Amino acid sequence: MADQKTPTKLAVQTSKRRSDQAFQEILALIFEGPLSPGSRLPGERELTETLGLSRTTLRDALNRLEARGYINRRSKSGSFVCTSLPQPFREPIEEIVDSNVISTSDIIEVRKVLELWAVGKATQLPARDSLTALARCLRGMEATSGFRSDSQFTRYRDADLKFHQTIAEMTGNLLYVHVFHFFLDLVRRSISLSRQLVPGNFAKDNLRNHEEIYRANEKKDPETAKRAMLEHFRYVEQHISPSRRRMSSHHKKPGLVRFRGRDKFS
């Protein structure tokens, strides 16, 4: 009787090994760059043919990738790559952003440090295709800078974020690309900007900042690129962060509390 069960047991072990292999292969594509954060995975048919897997084995691997937070599967549009930073790292930060403990200003301060390095690094690498992508973002921002509707405002914002994401990709540092994508997610979680929160000249002035960053990259001038990026963040801090603080003013502020003879913040 035991001998009769052996083939089934071996088949299960083989299937598991193939699923493990598929999991690792797709994860390698995410970490090594071909599948960057936000990109759509090939369809199941293409993946099964490329990786030489059955549909069942592939779906098992995709289920594991989704459970670990590496991909986001959408019923009508397919599977998309998330940041490769593990969930145990992401979730506590996302929770305190959602609870307004961390403000937009906090996120901008960290982004400022990272993106000053990134824009300097980006100017040192061959980037003809990337410059074309940056120019496309600028055209998108210019076309929607009137903020005549909510959808136009959203398209402007998306083109702005894509500009910064392209610079991250230009660094050639895959770890930074995933870290940056995580920070973009934090920005989206922490603020829901409306046209009422930005001054009338924000779109055009912000576009001008991005054009200066683009020209510095085009000339491969890292110092000018860094200065332009710093000026951009100063402008954002001046106009966006105060609005966010006003929006959050109704939330409970930290206060000093006595707890068994010791001072505690709450």
Side-chain angles (χ1 to χ4, degrees):
M1 295 293 292
D3 291 339
Q4 293 178 355
K5 295 181 180 180
T6 300
T8 301
K9 184 177 181 181
L10 289 174
V12 171
Q13 290 175 338
T14 300
S15 176
K16 186 176 185 303
R17 285 198 299 270
R18 288 176 179 170
S19 176
D20 290 341
Q21 182 180 357
F23 175 87
Q24 293 298 333
E25 288 179 355
I26 298 173
L27 197 59
L29 293 175
I30 294 173
F31 273 100
E32 293 171 8
L35 295 176
S36 59
S39 63
R40 185 178 182 276
L41 267 69
E44 288 190 5
R45 178 179 297 179
E46 183 178 346
L47 282 173
T48 54
E49 293 175 354
T50 301
L51 300 177
L53 302 169
S54 69
R55 284 285 182 93
T56 301
T57 301
L58 175 64
R59 287 173 181 170
D60 182 58
L62 292 176
N63 287 337
R64 292 173 59 193
L65 288 163
E66 183 178 31
R68 296 282 295 276
Y70 292 116
I71 64 172
N72 176 22
R73 300 170 79 182
R74 305 170 192 171
S75 57
K76 295 184 179 179
S77 52
S79 299
F80 292 81
V81 178
C82 304
T83 172
S84 62
L85 298 177
Q87 283 183 322
F89 172 83
R90 301 197 316 259
E91 287 179 349
I93 298 176
E94 290 170 349
E95 287 175 358
I96 57 178
V97 166
D98 288 344
S99 66
N100 288 291
V101 175
I102 288 179
S103 70
T104 308
S105 299
D106 298 321
I107 299 171
I108 289 175
E109 286 177 355
V110 178
R111 278 189 60 194
K112 187 193 305 180
V113 174
L114 294 173
E115 293 198 54
L116 285 178
W117 167 83
V119 76
K121 181 74 172 177
T123 62
Q124 302 171 19
L125 300 172
R128 179 175 298 179
D129 291 343
S130 297
L131 285 173
T132 300
L134 291 178
R136 190 181 306 118
C137 294
L138 292 176
R139 290 195 297 271
M141 293 171 68
E142 184 175 15
T144 55
S145 60
F147 290 177
R148 295 184 182 90
S149 65
D150 290 339
S151 63
Q152 195 175 76
F153 180 87
T154 299
R155 292 198 301 273
Y156 179 96
R157 182 197 60 195
D158 290 346
D160 186 337
L161 294 179
K162 182 63 177 176
F163 183 95
H164 289 269
Q165 183 176 342
T166 301
I167 289 177
E169 293 167 355
M170 289 169 67
T171 67
N173 186 313
L174 296 176
L175 176 60
Y176 174 69
V177 170
H178 284 272
V179 170
F180 176 78
H181 193 269
F182 172 61
F183 273 96
L184 279 191
D185 286 342
L186 290 184
V187 170
R188 292 188 184 100
R189 294 173 78 97
S190 68
I191 59 175
S192 179
L193 289 177
S194 67
R195 288 175 289 159
Q196 289 74 30
L197 290 181
V198 295
N201 62 341
F202 176 83
K204 292 183 179 179
D205 289 344
N206 186 54
L207 174 60
R208 191 178 303 115
N209 290 152
H210 286 72
E211 289 171 339
E212 291 172 359
I213 294 169
Y214 171 82
R215 285 192 292 270
N217 273 272
E218 191 176 33
K219 296 176 181 177
K220 296 188 178 299
D221 184 346
E223 295 307 315
T224 300
K226 289 178 183 178
R227 286 196 297 270
M229 183 67 79
L230 182 60
E231 182 60 30
H232 164 59
F233 276 115
R234 285 173 176 167
Y235 187 77
V236 171
E237 287 177 320
Q238 178 183 355
H239 291 287
I240 301 300
S241 299
S243 297
R244 175 59 181 170
R245 285 194 292 269
R246 287 195 297 272
M247 287 178 65
S248 301
S249 61
H250 65 282
H251 290 285
K252 182 181 178 181
K253 299 294 183 180
L256 194 62
V257 175
R258 297 291 296 181
F259 182 70
R260 294 187 179 180
R262 292 173 291 178
D263 292 336
K264 294 287 183 181
F265 283 98
S266 66

